[in-house]
Amino acid sequence: MGEFFDREKVIDCMFDPITSEILAELEDGKKECSVLSQKFSMSESDLLERLGYLIKCEFLIKTVENETYSISANIEKLGSLLEDNDAFDGAIHGLEKMDSYLN
C-alpha cells in the first residue's frame, strides 16, 4: 500500500482499547496469532480483521511460517507516525475521543 493511508483511521485503530493492548503485546517482538487470539478471547480471523488496516498500511507485519500466522510491529513506521506533528495532534484527538466514550 506504500505511504498512502488515512492517518486518522490509523490513530483510531491504534487507540482502540483492545487493539492498543494487542500492540502492547507486540512491543516485545513477533507473536503468533494463535497466542494473541487466545489471550484476547477471539478467533484468529477476528484478530486479523481487527488488525487488518494496520497490516494493510504496513504498521504491522503479518508473516506465515509452517501454516502459522504471526504478527510483528513495524516499530520504525509506528514511531515515524507518532513523531509527525499532525499525527501527534491526531493521537491527542484519539485519546480525547476515547475519554469521551469512557465518560
Side-chain angles (χ1 to χ4, degrees):
M1 180 166 197
E3 291 300 311
F4 300 104
F5 55 87
D6 180 339
R7 287 192 187 291
E8 188 170 327
K9 187 171 181 177
V10 170
I11 297 296
D12 284 347
C13 290
M14 289 173 60
F15 288 99
D16 171 82
I18 295 171
T19 304
S20 64
E21 287 185 49
I22 295 169
L23 291 173
E25 288 292 317
L26 297 174
E27 286 179 0
D28 297 332
K30 179 168 64 171
K31 299 279 192 284
E32 288 185 8
C33 288
S34 60
V35 171
L36 291 171
S37 66
Q38 202 169 32
K39 180 167 184 147
F40 293 98
S41 302
M42 63 177 70
S43 69
E44 285 186 51
S45 61
D46 287 343
L47 176 82
L48 291 172
E49 184 177 326
R50 175 174 289 280
L51 302 176
Y53 192 70
L54 296 175
I55 293 168
K56 181 178 178 181
C57 297
E58 299 173 355
F59 287 96
L60 297 178
I61 301 162
K62 178 177 78 170
T63 56
V64 183
E65 295 174 22
N66 300 323
E67 298 182 24
T68 302
Y69 289 99
S70 296
I71 299 287
S72 59
N74 184 340
I75 302 298
E76 187 175 301
K77 190 165 184 175
L78 285 168
S80 69
L81 176 76
L82 296 176
E83 287 174 0
D84 185 347
N85 287 337
D86 292 337
F88 185 73
D89 291 341
I92 297 298
H93 175 70
L95 288 172
E96 290 169 348
K97 189 177 189 180
M98 187 168 35
D99 187 51
S100 71
Y101 290 137
L102 296 173
N103 292 326

